[in-house]
């Protein structure tokens, strides 16, 4: 095979908080994701250890203006159309629709903004792929209810999804309930609006919050299908299989345990019940979940249609304490793999690990996969003649697309589509920088948000256009 399956959904992916800006426009309320500053405190705030529920003097908050997609969406979508995108992944800023999160009535300006965005996509035959929440949580919900620790969040989320499914019926068909649902364990404020008091049982709080998200996700799946049987609703995992560092059985088992910690989320969302190992683990940790009557049936009866995931890198596990955290990666650090090269930010590059990850997910769940994030964050230089020669990005993407082709062709994995991350440069989630660029389209802004905001096509722009036009035959 040198082409991808007919109807394969090629495109690119973004998230509201990393590109929209317009943080106080159109009646939008403040959200957790607005309040994560650049700089040395960023990680503590993301983790919910340093509580920051309002803007504080002396900090720079990159999400406030981001790349101003709120105003430039027409121009940006036109560029995506020039690359031939079949799909465009974007997320809804919850606080545009319900500024505080607990209102009864949605904010029409916010609804209209996304309606316009979807219509703009449709104008070019681009199918929107919508993440209902990409880490967003209106900050009022954290302040008043403790965010996802509280069962009431299920009701607020239900209200949100009912509004979205109803309003965008016929405009949107592909939905993801929570971006990288497993991120709640690693960056709980950024991923779910959770903050912690000293002496709080953090693990108990996180698992309870996860349960609420599972229930909310299953409910959304149910409601989405009722409102429009054409809807396809998926879960989303920060994926990347762990390898054992050595063949020492202890390393092998450590890798197994770490893989299980991630797959736990999809086990519930795709198989419809808590796996036995998770129940045992929670018991060991002294965690008791508040599970309401009807939750188990809801989870069982409303499993996802497909499994979407992000993949940037494989990970490596070892029991050797000296090796822990020796390389960085997508939020959670792991052990450095001596066989792999890494990006400028230390994320290891492993296309075969991508094929391996796809195999594991497909064998385990037997549901279609959707690759909704993959890409290389790199510094880009503008040459004197104004061009940007990002061959390193083309190389990374080419090797990963080949690996995906092998997974489809040689291993029989069912893949619905591929949206590369940050198809237009946007603010980095882990560092808050602009200079960590993923795009086919350069955005002229620096780390402090200075610049013209002008969009410039990189070399990879034409390359990706040819990939899509040839349905993957030309790489
Ligand atoms: C994923 C997120 O974790 O990785 C994105 O879903 C994020 O929001 C992406 O931007 C890449 O990470 P980073 O830290 O390079 O922006």
């Amino acid at each position: 095979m040198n082409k991808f399956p007919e109807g394969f959904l090629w495109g690119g992916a973004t998230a509201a908080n990393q590109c929209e800006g317009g943080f106080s426009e159109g009646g939008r309320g403040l959200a957790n994701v607005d309040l994560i500053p650049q700089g040395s405190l960023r990680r503590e705030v993301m983790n919910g250890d340093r509580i920051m529920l309002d803007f504080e003097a002396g900090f720079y908050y990159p999400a406030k203006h981001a790349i101003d997609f709120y105003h430039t969406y027409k121009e940006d979508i036109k560029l995506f159309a020039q690359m031939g995108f079949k799909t465009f992944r974007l997320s809804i800023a919850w606080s545009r629709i319900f500024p505080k999160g607990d209102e009864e009535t949605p904010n029409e300006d916010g609804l209209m903004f996304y309606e316009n965005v979807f219509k703009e996509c449709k104008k070019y035959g681009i199918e929107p792929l919508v993440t209902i929440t990409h880490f967003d949580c209106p900050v009022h919900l954290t302040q008043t209810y403790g965010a996802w620790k509280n069962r009431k969040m299920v009701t607020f989320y239900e209200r949100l999804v009912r509004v979205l499914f109803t309003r965008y019926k016929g405009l949107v068909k592909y939905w993801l309930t929570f971006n990288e649902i497993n991120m709640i364990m690693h960056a709980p404020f950024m991923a779910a609006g959770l903050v912690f008091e000293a002496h709080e049982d953090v693990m108990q709080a996180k698992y309870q919050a996860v349960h609420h998200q599972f229930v909310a996700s299953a409910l959304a799946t149910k409601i989405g299908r009722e409102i429009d049987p054409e809807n396809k609703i998926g879960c989303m995992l920060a994926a990347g299989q762990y390898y054992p560092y050595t063949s020492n059985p202890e390393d092998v088992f450590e890798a197994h345990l770490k893989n299980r910690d991630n797959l736990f989320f999809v086990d519930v969302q795709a198989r419809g019940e808590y796996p036995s190992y998770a129940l045992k683990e929670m018991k060991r940790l002294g965690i008791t979940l508040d599970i309401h009557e009807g939750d188990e049936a809801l989870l069982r009866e409303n499993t996802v249609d497909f499994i979407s995931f992000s993949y940037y890198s494989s990970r490596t596990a070892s029991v050797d304490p000296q090796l822990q955290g020796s390389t960085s990666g997508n939020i959670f650090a792991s052990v450095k793999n001596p066989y792999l090269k890494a990006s400028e930010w230390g994320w290891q590059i492993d296309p075969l690990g991508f094929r391996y990850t796809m195999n594991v997910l497909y064998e385990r769940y037997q549901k279609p996969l959707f690759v909704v994030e993959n890409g290389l964050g790199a510094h880009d230089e503008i040459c004197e003649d104004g061009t940007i020669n990002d061959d390193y990005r083309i190389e990374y993407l080419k090797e990963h697309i080949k690996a995906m082709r092998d997974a489809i062709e040689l291993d029989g994995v069912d893949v619905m589509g591929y949206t590369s991350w940050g198809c237009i440069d946007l603010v980095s989630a882990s560092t808050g920088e602009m200079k960590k660029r993923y795009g086919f389209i350069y955005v002229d802004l620096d780390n402090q948000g200075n610049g013209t905001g002008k969009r410039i096509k990189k070399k990879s722009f034409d390359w990706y256009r040819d990939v899509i036009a040839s349905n993957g035959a030309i790489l």
Side-chain angles (χ1 to χ4, degrees):
M1 173 186 96
N2 50 27
K3 278 195 175 186
F4 279 75
E6 209 47 41
F8 191 78
L9 290 164
W10 296 99
T14 59
N17 74 88
Q18 291 170 264
C19 69
E20 278 180 14
F23 76 104
S24 60
E25 291 182 59
R28 183 185 180 280
L30 204 59
N32 58 337
V33 284
D34 301 327
L35 295 164
I36 305 177
Q38 232 178 43
S40 56
L41 271 190
R42 188 171 176 87
R43 207 36 89 94
E44 273 179 62
V45 175
M46 272 183 182
N47 290 348
D49 297 330
R50 164 66 160 84
I51 301 180
M52 198 180 268
L53 298 182
D54 207 345
F55 296 123
E56 291 184 15
F59 291 98
Y60 175 63
Y61 297 92
K64 276 172 118 173
H65 304 292
I67 63 160
D68 199 31
F69 179 82
Y70 186 68
H71 296 110
T72 60
Y73 71 90
K74 286 193 180 164
E75 178 196 334
D76 295 339
I77 292 169
K78 189 171 176 188
L79 289 166
F80 302 152
Q82 286 175 17
M83 279 186 279
F85 277 21
K86 310 286 179 211
T87 188
F88 170 46
R89 177 178 176 227
L90 73 160
S91 76
I92 303 282
W94 188 342
S95 61
R96 278 200 196 286
I97 310 300
F98 289 100
K100 289 164 76 183
D102 58 358
E103 300 92 334
E104 299 279 342
T105 318
N107 170 33
E108 177 56 28
D109 280 1
L111 284 170
M112 193 43 102
F113 170 66
Y114 293 108
E115 186 173 321
N116 290 337
V117 170
F118 300 147
K119 284 188 172 156
E120 199 64 21
C121 289
K122 291 282 183 172
K123 188 166 119 185
Y124 299 105
I126 298 174
E127 194 67 56
L129 163 60
V130 175
T131 317
I132 294 169
T133 51
H134 191 118
F135 300 152
D136 298 60
C137 175
V139 80
H140 170 79
L141 297 181
T142 297
Q143 287 162 334
T144 315
Y145 306 95
W148 284 97
K149 290 183 211 171
N150 193 316
R151 176 84 190 193
K152 289 203 173 90
M153 289 295 283
V154 175
T155 309
F156 304 142
Y157 186 85
E158 179 183 352
R159 228 175 263 165
L160 172 70
V161 301
R162 270 192 197 286
V163 166
L164 300 179
F165 290 138
T166 308
R167 175 71 173 242
Y168 303 128
K169 185 174 173 176
L171 273 177
V172 179
K173 180 167 140 194
Y174 297 102
W175 303 88
L176 311 178
T177 52
F178 289 94
N179 180 62
E180 298 191 331
I181 189 165
N182 48 331
M183 237 14 136
I184 192 172
M185 303 311 262
H186 309 278
F189 179 65
M190 178 182 79
L194 306 186
V195 292
F196 304 102
E197 300 300 337
H199 312 303
E200 189 171 349
D201 184 343
V202 171
M203 285 311 261
Q204 167 71 38
K206 282 186 191 173
Y207 273 102
Q208 188 61 56
V210 169
H211 180 70
H212 293 147
Q213 292 200 336
F214 284 152
V215 171
S217 178
L219 198 54
T221 309
K222 181 171 186 283
I223 295 167
R225 287 179 183 143
E226 283 165 6
I227 292 180
D228 187 353
E230 289 292 302
N231 279 331
K232 298 272 174 243
I233 302 165
C235 56
M236 198 307 198
L237 181 78
Q241 282 297 111
Y242 279 89
Y243 301 129
Y245 186 70
T246 68
S247 55
N248 173 354
E250 292 197 21
D251 280 352
V252 174
F253 202 71
E254 182 65 13
H256 173 68
L257 294 178
K258 289 217 148 46
N259 282 323
R260 225 166 59 171
D261 283 350
N262 274 341
L263 295 172
F264 157 65
F265 293 84
V266 187
D267 282 352
V268 177
Q269 293 183 291
R271 290 169 161 170
E273 61 181 3
Y274 278 85
S276 51
Y277 67 80
L279 297 175
K280 290 278 187 195
E281 171 75 357
M282 283 191 266
K283 199 163 178 202
R284 260 195 305 277
L285 294 170
I287 292 166
T288 4
L289 289 187
D290 178 21
I291 298 182
H292 287 203
E293 204 188 324
D295 285 359
E296 281 161 336
L298 187 77
L299 296 178
R300 202 171 42 247
E301 288 158 18
N302 298 285
T303 56
V304 289
D305 293 314
F306 64 92
I307 291 149
S308 81
F309 64 97
S310 60
Y311 176 89
Y312 294 91
S313 188
S314 57
R315 301 183 173 104
T316 308
S318 161
V319 287
D320 182 347
Q322 306 262 302
L323 292 171
Q324 302 311 313
S326 48
T327 190
S328 55
N330 190 6
I331 304 290
F332 32 117
S334 100
V335 171
K336 191 167 164 52
N337 182 333
Y339 297 97
L340 300 177
K341 291 193 180 126
S343 78
E344 294 163 86
W345 274 263
W347 294 23
Q348 299 198 287
I349 300 174
D350 182 11
L352 189 55
F354 186 31
R355 176 173 168 194
Y356 174 50
T357 299
M358 280 186 273
N359 271 273
V360 169
L361 291 173
Y362 192 61
E363 284 167 15
R364 194 167 173 121
Y365 305 112
Q366 299 285 309
K367 295 207 184 210
L369 305 183
F370 205 142
V371 183
V372 297
E373 286 186 33
N374 173 238
L376 179 73
H379 283 107
D380 290 327
E381 294 290 338
I382 306 183
C383 300
E384 270 176 25
D385 64 358
T387 57
I388 299 161
N389 296 314
D390 56 343
D391 291 304
Y392 36 89
R393 183 169 294 108
I394 294 175
E395 189 58 25
Y396 176 100
L397 294 171
K398 185 188 289 186
E399 291 309 312
H400 283 77
I401 293 173
K402 278 187 193 162
M404 174 170 65
R405 188 177 66 193
D406 289 347
I408 297 171
E409 176 60 9
L410 304 178
D411 308 322
V413 177
D414 182 0
V415 186
M416 296 162 68
Y418 174 89
T419 59
S420 75
W421 175 250
C423 46
I424 179 164
D425 292 346
L426 38 65
V427 175
S428 157
S430 55
T431 67
E433 295 166 300
M434 262 312 292
K435 70 174 184 198
K436 189 180 186 194
R437 297 172 184 276
Y438 285 87
F440 304 112
I441 302 161
Y442 185 91
V443 177
D444 178 32
L445 289 172
D446 67 14
N447 279 350
Q448 296 302 310
N450 300 312
T452 61
K454 190 173 155 212
R455 276 54 173 157
I456 305 168
K457 295 174 189 174
K458 303 181 194 175
K459 185 172 178 186
S460 56
F461 185 99
D462 290 344
W463 171 80
Y464 197 46
R465 186 198 54 214
D466 293 346
V467 171
I468 297 176
S470 66
N471 197 16
I474 300 171
L475 285 175

